[in-house]
Structure formats: C-alpha cells, structure tokens
Amino acid sequence: MALTSIVETELEDRITEVLRSIYDPELPVDIYELGLIYEININDKKDANITMTLTAPNCPASDLIMQEVNEKVGAIGEINQVNVNLTFEPPWTQDKMSDVAKLQLGFM
C-alpha cells in the first residue's frame, strides 16, 4: 500500500530539495541537476528508496556523496529509513544534466 499521492509528493519535494544541497566535490553543480538521481520512491513505511548513479564508476567521491545522501535525506523527520541504490545502468552521460547544470558548466 502506497502513501497518498499528496503526502508522497510533498516528501519527494522535500527530498529533492535536500538532494539539491549535495554537490559532487569535483563539480560546482548539485547531484540532482547533474542528473545523478534516477528515482525517488517512498513506501508506506516512509522509507525513502533512492536510485542514483555517479559520473563515473570509479568516482573518488562516491562514498562521500552516498553518505551525504543517506544522512541528509535521513534527517527529514518523516523519513523512517533511507536506502541508496547505486546503479550504472543506464550509464550517466552529459545528456542527463539539466539545462541549469549545462549552463553552470559552460555547455550552453
């Protein structure tokens, strides 16, 4: 059983806001605008399941980024537990970046 769509949407918005405060240490753009977040799912227990990727499988900041996602999303009072699922399928490409990120990085 899923949360009501209104509650789920509000929590997703709060999670998205938190994710926009997390930056790849090598880039001046947050991980959400970089397109590293593939999915945010909240179950009826208010567990946040976040599927994400990194710009490269051997990213030296991977542990730091994933820890920050876990800690900051977990600090949202309504969230019970955070599960960060790292995937490289589909692989990240610059096409996944938002226009905001592309502009910040000089690609536009």
Side-chain angles (χ1 to χ4, degrees):
M1 177 182 285
L3 293 173
T4 63
S5 61
I6 294 173
V7 172
E8 186 174 321
T9 300
E10 288 174 0
L11 276 174
E12 281 184 23
D13 289 347
R14 291 180 65 199
I15 291 169
T16 299
E17 184 179 327
V18 165
L19 294 173
R20 285 187 167 133
S21 74
I22 301 170
Y23 287 77
D24 182 317
E26 298 177 349
L27 300 168
V29 179
D30 68 78
I31 63 172
Y32 190 85
E33 296 296 337
L34 277 173
L36 300 182
I37 305 302
Y38 286 174
E39 183 178 35
I40 300 168
N41 184 298
I42 304 162
N43 66 21
D44 59 342
K45 296 178 184 177
K46 295 188 181 177
D47 295 336
N49 297 294
I50 299 170
T51 302
M52 65 175 291
T53 193
L54 299 167
T55 56
N58 58 351
C59 175
S62 62
D63 290 341
L64 177 67
I65 292 170
M66 291 181 59
Q67 179 182 350
E68 195 170 356
V69 168
N70 201 334
E71 288 174 0
K72 286 188 172 184
V73 173
I76 297 172
E78 293 85 0
I79 297 298
N80 180 45
Q81 181 176 336
V82 180
N83 302 303
V84 181
N85 306 303
L86 185 63
T87 185
F88 293 101
E89 292 297 324
W92 180 87
T93 64
Q94 292 179 0
D95 293 336
K96 297 195 181 307
M97 291 189 298
S98 71
D99 287 344
V100 170
K102 290 176 183 175
L103 187 63
Q104 286 177 311
L105 293 172
F107 295 128
M108 290 182 75

